[in-house]
Amino acid sequence: MKTKKVLHGFLTAAAAVSLILILLLSAFEIAAYSDFGFYQKEYEKYEIQETLPMEMDDIMDVTEKMMSYLRGDREELSVMTTIDGERQDFFNEQDRFHMGEVRDLFLGGFALRRYAAVILAAAVVLLLILKADLKRILPKAYEITVGMFLALVAALGIAIAVNFDRCFVIFHELFFDNDLWMFDPATDYMIRMLPEGFFFDMTLRIGGFFVAFLIFFELICIGLRIWRKKKEN
């Protein structure tokens, strides 16, 4: 009986963690790809055209092709466009190297989501085979995991609010083993198109979608709890 209980706990924890990862990575994908109008609003907000002499249609074309590359839908990061009246490639070699590393992170995240989906499905199937009370143990495991995860998110959110610049640097130092993520606005068009404020706003956007997903599943948990109580009564 004890072994079975431990196994139930392990499988429900695996399912809950996998679901949270799926929701987080899906929130990232939706925030980044569902509405390119967001990018245009950001460019207007930060007056990108004041420092990047391009038509907005061209900036958006570069953006969409860059994001397509990061998703793995384009093989090369090369976009011919018109800058200050001259036809040229928007990206330079440093851009291509760094964005190649960013692409690896994107694709790694999407792969992690697929693995999490497999683990989630396998955990649920095994719990069904073990005749576990899914309506009771899964919501409980989800709420415990969300509570722990939100504590971490809250700490990160406070750090970002206090000093986003430092958090931005730490993120890059953790995920990249070089300093080629540091660009010079005088020579690099990409950093002019994507100022630091843009990344702050995108972080908030991802967080908004993620919290919405968490609330949605919490409402499901509440609904299941109410249903169980009514059934018991």
Side-chain angles (χ1 to χ4, degrees):
M1 179 63 73
K2 186 176 179 180
T3 301
K4 188 175 182 180
K5 186 176 181 180
V6 170
L7 185 56
H8 282 185
F10 174 78
L11 291 172
T12 53
V17 171
S18 296
L19 177 59
I20 299 299
L21 284 174
I22 291 169
L23 296 181
L24 177 60
L25 293 167
S26 296
F28 169 82
E29 183 177 26
I30 292 172
Y33 288 97
S34 66
D35 178 19
F36 279 95
F38 168 79
Y39 291 87
Q40 182 166 338
K41 290 176 183 176
E42 287 291 293
Y43 297 153
E44 292 169 352
K45 174 182 178 180
Y46 292 105
E47 300 179 335
I48 299 303
Q49 288 180 284
E50 293 295 320
T51 57
L52 186 58
M54 294 174 62
E55 296 295 327
M56 183 58 75
D57 287 346
D58 291 331
I59 296 175
M60 291 305 301
D61 178 62
V62 169
T63 300
E64 292 182 21
K65 289 176 179 176
M66 176 184 71
M67 296 306 294
S68 178
Y69 168 78
L70 292 176
R71 200 175 196 173
D73 296 332
R74 289 172 62 92
E75 290 302 317
E76 296 183 0
L77 184 63
S78 179
V79 181
M80 296 301 296
T81 189
T82 302
I83 306 174
D84 201 15
E86 182 180 346
R87 193 74 176 169
Q88 58 184 288
D89 196 330
F90 183 86
F91 299 99
N92 59 36
E93 289 307 313
Q94 182 180 349
D95 296 334
R96 275 186 273 274
F97 179 85
H98 178 62
M99 296 307 277
E101 293 189 312
V102 173
R103 172 184 162 118
D104 290 341
L105 288 179
F106 271 51
L107 297 181
F110 295 145
L112 177 61
R113 183 175 60 179
R114 291 193 294 272
Y115 297 145
V118 171
I119 292 172
L120 173 60
V124 171
V125 169
L126 288 173
L127 286 167
L128 287 171
I129 292 173
L130 294 170
K131 297 181 180 180
D133 185 358
L134 297 185
K135 295 183 179 66
R136 180 182 65 82
I137 63 176
L138 284 181
K140 184 177 180 181
Y142 171 79
E143 290 175 336
I144 292 173
T145 305
V146 167
M148 297 172 61
F149 199 87
L150 285 181
L152 294 174
V153 171
L156 180 60
I158 292 172
I160 289 174
V162 171
N163 193 338
F164 178 77
D165 292 350
R166 182 56 186 158
C167 291
F168 190 75
V169 171
I170 291 174
F171 170 83
H172 283 80
E173 289 177 344
L174 285 173
F175 287 96
F176 305 107
D177 60 359
N178 55 70
D179 61 0
L180 293 179
W181 57 271
M182 301 176 67
F183 295 92
D184 182 357
T187 57
D188 297 301
Y189 297 131
M190 189 173 70
I191 196 60
R192 298 189 211 176
M193 186 176 76
L194 301 173
E196 196 169 285
F198 165 83
F199 291 103
F200 179 79
D201 294 344
M202 178 60 81
T203 299
L204 293 180
R205 179 175 167 84
I206 295 169
F209 280 112
F210 182 50
V211 170
F213 287 154
L214 293 180
I215 292 173
F216 173 76
F217 278 91
E218 177 59 25
L219 291 175
I220 293 177
C221 291
I222 293 172
L224 287 172
R225 191 178 300 116
I226 292 172
W227 178 82
R228 285 185 69 252
K229 287 183 178 179
K230 287 183 177 180
K231 188 176 180 181
E232 290 172 357
N233 295 332

